[in-house]
């Protein structure tokens, strides 16, 4: 068994992990997920069903999935459990997606487990090709790898964030004891459905017989779908604002202080080092989910566990401060709902006079809807194109931005590097100015990497 969080002083295993990523990229990409479960199920069956090696908390929704997953993991870890966490996508390196006890899996464990599962992936691929089906996709293979890593560690509990949807997502070969739903809105309509009800029906596929269901407050058509699916599987549903609730939040240095009524207990004066009312909501859902997992919603969590679990929670790429002098904030909002949460948090939690928004958006996303939410707080837009093959060209995006904002505050920059440098130069020229980088996870990841490489924070502050 390889140490999942060991160091790699020579860089040998980092190179091996990077090679694994290159091999994964040769498979069908995440932009074209396969709406199927059988290939993933076949691969894990050949491996001895590692997805059954520990109980599961399963998370889906439209926005807030990753933050909520990370808070659930942090609370479970504070409870004394060894945790495995799968999230997607990554910001800088693929190993960020698979966490053991709150740290990215080591390059060695990533590469060694990949080598171990190769024969079984090859067998599955061969069977698929023989049946005129595409071989395992990037996400299918990565999900199998995550299960293998968790079983190898081994972990006490797996926290799994759905990649897309729920019913046919590769993570759904696991049976979650708790199914968690963050707010559901329109996104990926070409694959999940063109109404909130249709999307909720797809996401409700993660509900398993006798599971506990914890959901954020939802539009009525979404809640109806979740309740119907739960009733079919005799699962209990706990709904935000009915069975648990955020009772209050107060702005604090570096985040906020929240009061939460859980399913079984009340938790007051809890420090959360994350900005935004939406993060307070995510924390509330996380508490209810962990109450459901540890005590079926009937036993309160220890106050010290909640305090430690939330105080140490992180959410990279979500209202994350990556630069000071000047201030640079990144946020992975990539749909209108997420952009609205970003706008609300910027207004409530920060006090800037002027803000340049560096924005890059993928082709399939609702660019007009995203920009419409950002425009009220933007002094100007620096429009660019990330390195993603799916990125909308900067000129095309600038035309869309100019339908929402005055054309004279919209500037097109040929590369993210130029956009970051120009925005930081502008922000540094006067007090109370800031830069916000948003619109796509890829662009945010590039900003985080640049901040780390170029030292956008004074030495010792770190980027996290």
């Amino acid at each position: 068994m390889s140490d999942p969080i060991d160091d790699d002083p020579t860089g040998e295993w980092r190179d091996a992990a990077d090679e694994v990523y290159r091999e994964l990229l040769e498979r069908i990409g995440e932009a074209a997920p396969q709406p199927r479960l059988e290939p993933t199920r076949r691969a894990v069956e050949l491996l001895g069903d590692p997805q059954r090696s520990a109980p599961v908390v399963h998370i889906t929704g439209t926005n807030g999935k990753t933050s909520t997953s990370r808070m659930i993991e942090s609370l479970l870890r504070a409870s004394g459990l060894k945790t495995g966490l799968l999230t997607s996508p990554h910001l800088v390196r693929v190993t960020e997606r698979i966490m053991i006890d709150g740290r990215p899996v080591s390059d060695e464990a990533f590469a060694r487990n990949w080598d171990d599962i190769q024969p079984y992936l090859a067998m599955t691929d061969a069977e698929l090709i023989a049946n005129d089906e595409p071989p395992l996709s990037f996400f299918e293979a990565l999900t199998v790898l995550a299960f293998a890593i968790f079983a190898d560690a081994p972990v006490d509990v797996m926290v799994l964030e759905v990649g897309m949807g729920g019913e046919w997502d590769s993570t759904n070969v696991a049976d979650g004891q708790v199914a968690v739903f963050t707010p559901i809105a329109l996104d990926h309509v070409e694959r999940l459905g063109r109404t909130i009800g249709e999307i909720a029906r797809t996401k409700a596929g993660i509900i398993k017989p006798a599971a506990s269901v914890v959901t954020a407050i939802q539009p009525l058509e979404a809640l109806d779908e979740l309740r119907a699916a739960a009733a079919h599987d005799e699962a209990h549903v706990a709904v935000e604002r009915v069975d648990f609730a955020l009772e209050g939040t107060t702005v604090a240095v570096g985040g906020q202080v929240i009061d939460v009524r859980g399913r079984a207990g009340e938790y007051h004066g809890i420090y959360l080092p994350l900005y935004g009312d939406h993060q307070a909501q995510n924390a509330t859902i996380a508490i209810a989910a962990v109450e459901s997992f540890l005590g079926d919603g009937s036993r309160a969590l220890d106050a010290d566990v909640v305090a430690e679990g939330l105080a140490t929670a992180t959410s990279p790429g979500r209202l994350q401060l990556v630069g000071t002098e000047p201030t640079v904030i990144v946020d992975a909002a990539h749909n209108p709902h997420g952009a609205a949460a970003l706008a609300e948090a910027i207004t409530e939690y920060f006090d800037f006079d002027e803000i340049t928004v560096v924005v890059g958006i993928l082709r399939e996303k609702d660019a007009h809807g995203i920009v419409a939410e950002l425009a009220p707080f933007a002094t100007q837009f620096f429009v660019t194109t990330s390195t993603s093959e799916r990125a909308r060209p900067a000129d095309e995006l600038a035309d869309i931005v100019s339908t929402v904002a005055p054309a004279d505050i919209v500037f097109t920059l040929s590369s993210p590097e130029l956009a970051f440098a120009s925005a930081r130069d502008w922000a540094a020229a006067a007090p109370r100015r800031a830069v916000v980088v948003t619109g796509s996870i890829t662009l945010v990841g590039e900003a985080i990497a640049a901040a780390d490489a170029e030292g956008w924070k004074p030495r010792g502050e770190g980027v996290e």
Side-chain angles (χ1 to χ4, degrees), residues 49-393:
D49 288 322
Q51 79 281 8
R52 296 179 180 170
S53 62
V56 170
V57 179
H58 209 172
I59 300 96
T60 190
T62 302
N63 289 295
K65 295 190 300 295
T66 301
S67 295
T68 304
S69 298
R70 292 178 70 96
M71 291 185 213
I72 290 171
E73 183 278 331
S74 190
L75 287 164
L76 290 169
R77 182 159 34 93
S79 300
L81 298 177
K82 185 173 183 178
T83 58
L85 171 66
L86 174 65
T87 61
S88 63
H90 60 278
L91 291 167
V92 179
R93 295 195 72 226
V94 68
T95 50
E96 299 167 17
R97 299 187 183 209
I98 302 172
M99 309 275 282
I100 303 292
D101 262 352
R103 294 174 59 188
V105 64
S106 72
D107 291 323
E108 179 180 359
F110 190 79
R112 284 192 183 277
N113 277 280
W114 177 255
D115 288 343
D116 289 345
I117 70 174
Q118 276 300 293
Y120 307 99
L121 297 184
M123 290 172 62
T124 306
D125 286 341
E127 292 174 3
L128 289 167
I129 292 168
N131 291 319
D132 293 324
E133 292 186 53
L136 291 165
S137 69
F138 176 107
F139 190 71
E140 288 170 331
L142 183 70
T143 301
V144 175
L145 175 59
F147 288 136
I149 289 170
F150 294 153
D152 182 56
V155 300
D156 298 321
V157 56
M158 303 180 197
V159 181
L160 307 178
E161 177 193 349
V162 163
M164 183 184 293
E167 179 182 10
W168 42 259
D169 186 79
S170 297
T171 61
N172 205 31
V173 299
D175 294 330
Q177 280 69 31
V178 181
V180 182
F181 296 85
T182 64
I184 296 172
L186 293 175
D187 199 14
H188 299 297
V189 294
E190 70 286 351
R191 294 189 176 276
L192 302 182
R194 298 197 171 274
T195 69
I196 288 177
E198 290 174 352
I199 292 172
R201 191 176 311 138
T202 301
K203 293 182 184 294
I206 71 167
I207 297 174
K208 302 298 171 63
S212 291
V213 178
V214 174
T215 179
I217 189 70
Q218 304 284 4
L220 183 58
E221 58 267 43
L223 189 57
D224 284 345
E225 293 291 344
L226 300 185
R227 288 189 184 280
H232 180 270
D233 286 316
E234 298 183 349
H236 176 271
V237 182
V239 182
E240 183 190 7
R241 298 187 190 172
V242 177
D243 302 290
F244 61 95
L246 174 66
E247 299 287 355
T249 176
T250 304
V251 176
V253 175
Q256 56 191 305
V257 174
I258 63 174
D259 297 315
V260 173
R261 171 174 59 83
R263 291 189 63 192
E266 295 190 358
Y267 313 94
H268 298 286
I270 304 298
Y271 177 66
L272 179 67
L274 302 171
Y275 301 105
D277 289 355
H278 61 294
Q279 293 288 23
Q281 180 190 30
N282 293 337
T284 301
I285 296 165
I287 287 171
V290 174
E291 286 180 324
S292 299
F293 180 79
L294 294 178
D296 199 26
S298 62
R299 187 173 72 245
L301 303 179
D302 186 278
D304 290 340
V305 165
V306 176
E308 178 186 344
L310 292 186
T312 58
T314 61
S315 190
R318 278 76 181 174
L319 276 169
Q320 181 183 357
L321 180 68
V322 299
T324 55
E325 302 175 7
T327 298
V328 182
I329 295 168
V330 298
D331 190 87
H334 56 278
N335 56 42
H337 189 275
L342 165 61
E344 181 180 357
I346 286 291
T347 302
E348 182 174 353
Y349 286 80
F350 300 94
D351 187 23
F352 303 119
D353 288 342
E354 297 180 292
I355 298 173
T356 282
V357 176
V358 178
V359 63
I361 299 173
L362 302 185
R363 289 190 192 93
E364 68 269 19
K365 296 297 183 178
D366 179 3
H368 186 278
I370 292 170
V371 174
E373 298 292 349
L374 303 176
F377 72 81
T379 304
Q380 57 189 2
F381 285 94
F382 283 8
V383 181
T384 191
T385 305
S386 74
T387 55
S388 171
E389 295 178 353
R390 299 154 55 199
R392 192 184 296 269

